[in-house]
Amino acid sequence: MSLSPATPIFMNFAPKSSHKHTAHDWMDYLRESNGLGQVLAKTEDLAKLKVSVGAALIKLDLGHLSPKIEAGWRSGSQDELFLLVSNASIASRLQQILPSLINELANSGMPYRAIKVRVKPAPPAWEVKPRLDPQFERPRGLNEVAKKSWESLLERLGPDSGLRSSIEKLLKNKPK
């Protein structure tokens, strides 16, 4: 099929939408029910729970432990609370007061049947360091032992050896 300059060409493009796209507030996306809304709701619930646990600990004269305790995502049933603590001594202290903590939370409108306390894994005590210390300088030449070894090999090689010229270049370019 040949086209003359007067032949109209029709292409199958999708029509432009009549509505204008507008920027939405990021909170609108978080509140939508397609996934992010659930994450936002859980996060808000955890923040409220942290405040309630802190208030209950203050009533039990253990408010100083509140910054070291995190409410975790529930893995069990809805009436179980999951707390992460930074060390074993805090975990054992919480284990001792669990019945009182459950009662205080129930008085504030959060009826939990059980509280699970877990110690957070500690970050590694070691750190990755570069292989070479920035203050360490690489050797610029050959040490005496290496230089003598290369010179000894050079003496044993014949004058027409290709290896001889390479070793001569090495000794010339790598002075001590």
Side-chain angles (χ1 to χ4, degrees), residues 4 9 29 42 72 120 125 133 136 146 161 165:
S4 68
I9 299 175
Y29 288 109
K42 285 260 191 189
K120 284 192 298 188
D133 190 10
F136 177 76
S161 171
S165 63

Side-chain angles (χ1 to χ4, degrees), residues 64-65 68-69 84-96 117 119:
H64 63 283
L65 296 179
K68 299 172 184 172
I69 299 171
L84 292 170
V85 296
S86 56
N87 60 48
S89 64
I90 296 172
S92 66
R93 183 66 181 122
L94 281 177
Q95 290 290 346
Q96 294 169 359
V117 179
V119 178

Side-chain angles (χ1 to χ4, degrees), residues 77-149:
S77 65
Q78 293 294 327
D79 58 351
E80 284 184 352
L81 178 60
F82 183 70
L83 297 177
L84 292 170
V85 296
S86 56
N87 60 48
S89 64
I90 296 172
S92 66
R93 183 66 181 122
L94 281 177
Q95 290 290 346
Q96 294 169 359
I97 63 147
L98 280 183
S100 301
L101 184 59
I102 290 171
N103 287 336
E104 284 299 325
L105 289 172
N107 291 340
S108 66
M110 299 187 149
Y112 288 107
R113 173 178 59 79
I115 297 177
K116 292 184 179 181
V117 179
R118 298 286 182 259
V119 178
K120 284 192 298 188
W126 48 270
E127 62 182 90
V128 177
K129 293 184 179 179
R131 287 183 181 227
L132 293 177
D133 190 10
Q135 299 171 351
F136 177 76
E137 250 184 76
R138 288 186 176 178
R140 300 206 183 269
L142 298 172
N143 64 27
E144 284 301 313
V145 174
K147 188 175 180 181
K148 285 181 183 178
S149 178

Side-chain angles (χ1 to χ4, degrees), residues 145-174:
V145 174
K147 188 175 180 181
K148 285 181 183 178
S149 178
W150 284 114
E151 287 172 347
S152 168
L153 179 60
L154 184 65
E155 291 172 2
R156 287 182 270 157
L157 293 173
D160 58 339
S161 171
L163 184 58
R164 180 177 184 84
S165 63
S166 297
I167 293 173
E168 286 172 344
K169 283 182 188 177
L170 174 74
L171 290 170
K172 179 182 165 190
N173 293 330
K174 292 280 188 184

